[in-house]
Amino acid sequence: MWFSLNHGPLGFGFDIPVTPRTVGGALVGGVVTAAAAPVILGVAGFTGAGITAGSLGAFMMSALAPTAVGGLVATLQSVGAAGLGYGGYLVAGIAGAVVTGGTVGAICENSNSKRN
C-alpha cells in the first residue's frame, strides 16, 4: 500500500510506502515531538517566569522588537508560560508523525530500491 503525494500544486511529489516501519516511525515521531516541544521551548528561554536573560528567546525578542501581539515571540512566550494545550499537542504530534513517517518511508524505499 502506498500513500501518494504526487498531485501537489507545484507538480512534484513522492510516494510513501505504508508499512509497519513507516507507521511505527510515525507513531514514535508524533509522541516524541509532542513530548519534546515544551522542553525545547524551555531550553530556548520561553519559561513560565518569562523570557530567560541571555537565551535564544531574549535574542529573538531584541531582534524582532517591537514584538507584535500574536507574533512569533509572543506566541512562543505564551506557550512557554501556559503550555501547548490540547490543540498544540495535536499539531505538534501530527507534524512529528508526518515528518518521521515520511522519513522512515523514504529510507525504507531507498533501501529496497538499492537491493533490487
Side-chain angles (χ1 to χ4, degrees), residues 19-39:
T19 65
R21 288 180 184 168
T22 306
V23 173
L27 289 173
V28 169
V31 170
V32 169
T33 304
V39 175

Side-chain angles (χ1 to χ4, degrees), residues 50-66:
I51 296 178
T52 307
S55 67
L56 175 63
F59 171 76
M60 289 175 63
M61 188 171 186
S62 65
L64 300 174

Side-chain angles (χ1 to χ4, degrees), residues 7-107:
H7 306 290
L10 300 177
F12 63 89
F14 52 91
D15 294 324
I16 300 171
V18 179
T19 65
R21 288 180 184 168
T22 306
V23 173
L27 289 173
V28 169
V31 170
V32 169
T33 304
V39 175
I40 292 170
L41 284 174
V43 169
F46 298 100
T47 66
I51 296 178
T52 307
S55 67
L56 175 63
F59 171 76
M60 289 175 63
M61 188 171 186
S62 65
L64 300 174
T67 58
V69 173
L72 178 64
V73 174
T75 301
L76 292 174
Q77 176 54 40
S78 175
V79 170
L84 286 173
Y86 294 123
Y89 283 112
L90 181 66
V91 169
I94 289 171
V98 168
V99 170
T100 308
T103 302
V104 169
I107 291 169

